[in-house]
Amino acid sequence: MSTKEKGVKDRILETAVRLFQTQGYGNTGINQIIQESQTAKASFYDYYPSKDLLGKAYIEFYGKEQLVLLEKLQSRSENARDFIEAWTHILRRQTRNSEFAGCPMANTAAQIASTSPSISEEVKKLALRTVDLLSVYLKEMQKKGQIPKNADTQSLARKIFASYEGVLQIWKLTGKISALDDLPEMVEAIIKSSGKK
């Protein structure tokens, strides 16, 4: 792919990312993306023959950014509590941006229901990769004695991911940013109870 072609494809994706995140996948039409990306209709369909393929590329794009962010936060945190507090800080900062509408993977999955198997599959892969990334980090914390030795880190990672998705939904439903502040407490309670049989 030439540099010019890559530029057009990137411009289409960047426009779609912005619109999907602010308006939602279901509320964004192809014609709007074509117009705002200043792309010829034929060129658009050369790169993305369907909205589903563009939606899949959007989830892939978001996934790469999200996983890199989590890895950076983990590497800068002394312990699980610091990591979760840093993650919460990022979420609070994002919610101050009027264009932030919550977790793109959860929002897109909710909007498409089961009408797009390729997007649903991409969302599922990203959710599982996120849980696996959290589980690996929790295993490291377990080796350092910060997580109970008998805790199932995969189960713990799923519960932490569920808490993350939950606080974002409560924020969206209530409009109260303080909902995000529940995440560190929830995770701490989950970790404390993880070693009990």
Side-chain angles (χ1 to χ4, degrees), residues 114-125:
S114 59
T115 59
S116 174
S118 64
I119 295 175
S120 293
E121 190 58 35
E122 198 60 38
V123 167
K124 188 187 308 179
K125 283 192 319 194

Side-chain angles (χ1 to χ4, degrees), residues 1 3 6-7 40 45 73 79 83 87 103 120 132 183 186:
M1 184 182 300
T3 305
K6 187 175 183 324
Y45 285 108
L73 294 177
N79 53 52
F83 162 63
W87 196 7
C103 175
S120 293
D132 286 344
L183 185 58
M186 292 166 73

Side-chain angles (χ1 to χ4, degrees), residues 53-153:
L53 288 175
L54 183 56
K56 183 176 184 245
Y58 163 60
I59 296 299
E60 288 171 350
F61 174 87
Y62 165 73
K64 285 177 192 166
E65 284 195 336
Q66 178 72 356
L67 295 174
V68 166
L69 170 68
L70 292 178
E71 286 173 341
K72 277 184 186 173
L73 294 177
Q74 289 171 354
S75 70
R76 296 177 184 166
S77 302
E78 291 289 317
N79 53 52
R81 174 92 187 179
D82 289 349
F83 162 63
I84 297 299
E85 286 179 355
W87 196 7
T88 302
H89 179 75
I90 296 285
L91 293 175
R92 284 183 68 87
R93 194 170 67 209
Q94 288 175 322
T95 57
R96 283 189 217 112
N97 176 354
S98 61
E99 296 180 352
F100 182 69
C103 175
M105 108 179 95
N107 292 344
T108 304
Q111 290 171 15
I112 63 161
S114 59
T115 59
S116 174
S118 64
I119 295 175
S120 293
E121 190 58 35
E122 198 60 38
V123 167
K124 188 187 308 179
K125 283 192 319 194
L126 177 55
L128 290 171
R129 282 175 39 214
T130 303
V131 169
D132 286 344
L133 181 79
L134 291 170
S135 179
V136 167
Y137 176 71
L138 292 168
K139 279 182 183 156
E140 289 173 21
M141 295 299 105
Q142 199 172 41
K143 288 176 189 171
K144 294 180 178 181
Q146 295 178 16
I147 306 281
K149 285 186 177 164
N150 60 338
D152 176 351
T153 57

